[in-house]
Amino acid sequence: MDDDRVTRRRVGAAEVRWANRGWWDTDADAYQAEHGAFLGEVDFVWCPEGLREADARLLGELAGRRILELGCGAAAAARWLATQGARPVALDLSAGMLRHAAEAAARTGVRVPLVQADALALPFADAAFDTVCTAFGAIPFVDDSAAAMREVARVLRPGGRWVFSVTHPMRWIFLDDPGEGGLTAVHSYFDRSPYVEQDERGVATYVEQHRTLGDRIRELVGAGFRLVDLVEPEWPAGHEGIWGQWSPLRGRLFPGTAIFVSEKPAAA
């Protein structure tokens, strides 16, 4: 992409929503073609490092649990959860991604309810779910992630678990380059200006938000959660795949993913 089409700038909430819904609708086919085999059709992969929920068990007990997959994409994780005895619902803003979810359900025979909605206005009753989770969905793409945390807290029952993965905040110091160019710090860690791709008119077509580790913890605590764990998956031996800016070169030097495991305190 041309340098003048990529910037770091503040973007209004409406423009963020419009840009990211349009981006994922347009990019859904290419995204699935590039990453679908890695993610699987009935599997829960937390990150480009390849950590799977079947091994990590970050969500705890699954059987019988009502689980919301937020920002589900093609909903491979929700389908896997269904095979483990959970009762999942898969939600995404993008109709393009949900189309892939419906097609994968038809191919695999594993069907889960699909909902198109905004993470900032979840169409569910209070305490509707036992668990909420997302692997790189919603949280990096909404204008107000603190408000998204509060929405998750609202629909989660007391004692429920909220687990989400995002690009590790320290990655924002570097360029999105899987090679040698991605090893030199060029940005301030403390600059929260979003990464923006824009068209020839300067209108945003893709927006991704940066928050520091401290910001994320404050968002969780502010929404009433208790942080249980912060997982930084190491790059596994023998994994030679490249996913965007994730690569063996960078992965063996510093983390690419942060997974926040939290709980909503049980009622007194």
Side-chain angles (χ1 to χ4, degrees):
M1 178 168 288
D2 296 340
D3 289 344
D4 60 352
R5 299 285 184 90
V6 177
T7 187
R8 299 280 293 272
R9 67 174 175 85
R10 299 296 179 186
V11 184
E15 188 177 0
V16 169
R17 186 180 300 107
W18 181 89
N20 285 333
R21 179 174 178 176
W23 172 272
W24 290 109
D25 282 349
T26 301
D27 194 60
D29 291 349
Y31 182 88
Q32 285 303 119
E34 184 174 1
H35 303 300
F38 180 83
L39 294 172
E41 292 202 312
V42 184
D43 202 357
F44 195 141
V45 183
W46 278 109
C47 52
E49 290 86 353
L51 181 68
R52 284 171 162 75
E53 175 59 18
D55 301 315
R57 306 293 296 173
L58 301 179
L59 300 182
E61 182 62 38
L62 300 176
R65 298 295 198 271
R66 299 165 297 168
I67 301 180
L68 173 63
E69 185 188 4
L70 191 64
C72 66
R79 287 189 295 277
W80 180 83
L81 290 167
T83 68
Q84 305 304 301
R87 295 185 289 156
V89 174
L91 177 147
D92 203 281
L93 180 65
S94 166
M97 295 304 291
L98 291 174
R99 172 173 53 82
H100 279 279
E103 291 170 355
R107 286 192 299 270
T108 63
V110 182
R111 300 181 182 277
V112 300
L114 303 176
V115 177
Q116 184 178 13
D118 190 330
L120 295 175
L122 298 175
F124 305 110
D126 296 356
F129 296 98
D130 300 300
T131 306
V132 182
C133 60
T134 184
F136 282 80
I139 297 303
F141 303 109
V142 296
D143 174 69
D144 187 350
S145 49
M149 302 283 183
R150 294 192 294 271
E151 269 293 270
V152 170
R154 181 184 64 79
V155 303
L156 193 62
R157 66 165 177 80
R161 182 163 284 204
W162 162 225
V163 186
F164 65 96
S165 62
V166 293
T167 300
H168 197 289
M170 75 166 291
R171 284 286 176 112
W172 284 74
I173 301 170
F174 306 98
L175 297 176
D176 279 355
D177 184 341
E180 295 284 345
L183 301 181
T184 303
V186 296
H187 298 297
S188 167
Y189 176 74
F190 302 103
D191 180 2
R192 277 79 162 181
S193 300
Y195 168 88
V196 180
E197 296 180 7
Q198 55 193 18
D199 62 20
E200 66 279 358
R201 300 168 297 158
V203 176
T205 57
Y206 176 91
V207 182
E208 189 168 346
Q209 309 284 342
H210 168 50
R211 302 290 185 270
T212 68
L213 284 172
D215 291 337
R216 290 294 182 216
I217 292 170
R218 282 185 288 275
E219 288 178 347
L220 284 167
V221 172
F225 289 103
R226 179 179 68 87
L227 184 66
V228 174
D229 198 1
L230 172 57
V231 181
E232 299 167 295
E234 296 187 34
W235 195 267
H239 180 15
E240 298 301 321
I242 292 177
W243 178 319
Q245 48 110 339
W246 279 264
S247 66
L249 174 65
R250 283 155 60 93
R252 291 166 186 153
L253 294 173
F254 47 84
T257 298
I259 308 176
F260 294 82
V261 183
S262 66
E263 290 181 348
K264 181 177 178 178

